[in-house]
Amino acid sequence: MDVSRLVLGTMYFGTRTDERTSRALLDRFVDAGGTTLDTANCYSFWSDASGHGGQSEETLGRWLAADGSRRDRVQLATKVGVEPLDHPRPDGATVEGLSADVVRAGCEASLRRLGVDVIDLYWAHGEDRGTPLEESVEAFGALVQAGSVRRLGVSNHPTWRVERGRSIALDRGLEPWTALQLTTSYLHPRPGAAVEGKDHRFGFVTDETIDYVAEHPDVELWAYSPLVQGAYDRADRPFPEPYEHPGSTRRLAVLDEVAADHGVPRSVVVLAWLLASRPQIRPIVGVSGVEQLDSALRVADVDLTPDELTALDAPA
C-alpha cells in the first residue's frame, strides 16, 4: 500500500492537539512518505473559546514557516463554507455559506493563515442552498483562474448537486470539482439511522456515490472518519448504536480473521481495504498522538490478497 495515498486530518491541531504534538505528527507523517494534509477554515471552532476556527490552519502555517522545504513536500487541502457567523444571515443560516464574497474572502484568509501563495485543493465544505449554485461555481472557478487554488473539491453534498455544479463549470469553461469528501468505513450504520455527530444530511457515501465516482474517473473520493473515532481497536470507544446490527457482526468476524493473519490491528486492515477498493477511497486519518499515527502507517505493510478482498467485500 502506498502511504502517500493516506491523508492526514489536522482538525484538532492547535486546539485539542497542542503545538508540540501537532508538529511531531506532521514530521512523522511526512518522513514516512505522507504528502497530503487536510484542514478547514472552521477547524475547530467548537473546541475554542472564541467559537471560531482557524487554529488548525495557523498551526500548519507555523510548521511550514519553520522549514521552507516543507511546502514542496506536501499537498494542502482546506475548506470554506461552515465557519459560524456571529449573526445569522438574512435567510436564517448560521454559517458563512458559499456566496462569491465568502468563497473569495475565505480563500484569502486561509492563504494568510497557512502562509502560502496557493492552495492545492480547495473544498466547498457544505451545501448552501441560499446561494445560487452558479454563483458558487463561478467563485471557485475564479480562484483557479487567478492562481490562488490548483484544484477544487466538494464535501457533504448530494450527488445530484455535485453533478449539476460540475456541469455548470464545464459549460462555462471553469475548473470543475474533481474530488468528493464524505464519510464511510468498513462497517455501515443501519439505513436511515441517525448517527450522533454526523449531522450532514448528505454526508455518507452511498452506493450511488460509488457508482458516480466509478463512472467519472476524474473524480477522486476521500473519506473522513474512516475509523469511526477509534471504535475498531478501542474497547473504551464502542461503535455508535446504529452500527450494531447482524451485518456488522458478520463483517467484524471477517475483519478479525484478516487482521490476525497480517498481525495488525483491525483499523489497519480497514485503511488497506479502502485503498484497495475500486474506485479507490482515500482515507483521512485523524490522530492525536504519534503512536496512533504509527499504527495507521502500518498499512504500508499490508498487501490484501484477492481472496481476502473477496471475503471483506462480501455482502453483510
Side-chain angles (χ1 to χ4, degrees):
M1 287 295 166
D2 184 357
V3 170
S4 70
R5 300 300 293 168
L6 289 179
V7 179
L8 181 63
T10 66
M11 178 183 289
Y12 290 115
F13 287 15
T15 50
R16 294 183 189 177
T17 305
D18 63 33
E19 187 92 9
R20 181 178 179 181
T21 304
S22 299
R23 292 192 178 205
L25 290 168
L26 290 163
D27 289 340
R28 178 72 183 98
F29 181 69
V30 173
D31 288 345
T35 60
T36 308
L37 311 176
D38 186 69
T39 185
N41 68 331
C42 69
Y43 290 165
S44 55
F45 68 82
W46 58 94
S47 299
D48 193 81
S50 69
H52 290 283
Q55 301 82 12
S56 173
E57 289 182 332
E58 289 171 348
T59 301
L60 290 178
R62 289 190 291 271
W63 175 77
L64 289 168
D67 183 344
S69 69
R70 289 171 174 162
R71 180 64 185 98
D72 293 333
R73 300 175 64 189
V74 297
Q75 298 286 305
L76 296 173
T78 192
K79 313 176 189 72
V80 66
V82 300
E83 168 71 1
L85 298 173
D86 291 326
H87 304 286
R89 289 165 26 183
D91 62 2
T94 58
V95 296
E96 60 188 352
L98 298 171
S99 70
D101 288 344
V102 165
V103 171
R104 180 173 54 255
C107 181
E108 292 173 355
S110 289
L111 288 169
R112 183 174 62 253
R113 285 190 288 264
L114 291 165
V116 298
D117 56 9
V118 62
I119 293 166
D120 297 298
L121 176 55
Y122 200 42
W123 299 94
H125 200 167
E127 277 198 280
D128 177 12
R129 298 201 186 182
T131 298
L133 188 55
E134 293 81 0
E135 178 181 338
S136 300
V137 168
E138 289 186 353
F140 279 97
L143 294 176
V144 176
Q145 291 177 332
S148 300
V149 172
R150 291 195 173 102
R151 187 178 166 207
L152 302 172
V154 59
S155 178
N156 301 318
H157 280 57
T159 306
W160 72 267
R161 293 269 291 181
V162 174
E163 174 61 16
R164 181 171 293 181
R166 280 169 50 83
S167 295
I168 292 169
L170 292 170
D171 287 345
R172 301 185 183 193
L174 300 170
E175 181 74 15
W177 291 319
T178 56
L180 304 183
Q181 187 175 145
L182 303 162
T183 188
T184 194
S185 186
Y186 180 63
L187 297 190
H188 304 287
R190 296 187 305 274
V195 180
E196 185 177 356
K198 299 294 186 294
D199 52 359
H200 295 291
R201 182 182 176 190
F202 299 105
F204 276 89
V205 169
T206 66
D207 190 47
E208 182 182 33
T209 310
I210 298 298
D211 183 60
Y212 184 82
V213 175
E215 291 294 323
H216 296 80
D218 65 316
V219 178
E220 188 176 55
L221 180 58
W222 294 24
Y224 64 83
S225 301
L227 302 180
V228 196
Q229 289 73 50
Y232 287 100
D233 299 335
R234 294 181 55 171
D236 62 326
R237 291 191 178 183
F239 286 96
E241 189 277 332
Y243 287 83
E244 297 175 5
H245 54 81
S248 291
T249 303
R250 290 192 290 272
R251 298 206 99 186
L252 283 175
V254 176
L255 188 63
D256 282 336
E257 182 177 346
V258 175
D261 288 344
H262 286 273
V264 297
R266 287 172 169 177
S267 58
V268 177
V269 176
V270 172
L271 297 176
W273 175 77
L274 289 167
L275 289 168
S277 297
R278 294 294 178 267
Q280 185 185 78
I281 302 174
R282 294 188 69 180
I284 303 172
V285 179
V287 294
S288 58
V290 173
E291 184 178 349
Q292 290 178 326
L293 178 58
D294 283 342
S295 178
L297 291 172
R298 294 181 67 186
V299 71
D301 301 322
V302 177
D303 186 12
L304 298 175
T305 68
D307 286 345
E308 287 173 333
L309 286 170
T310 298
L312 289 166
D313 287 338

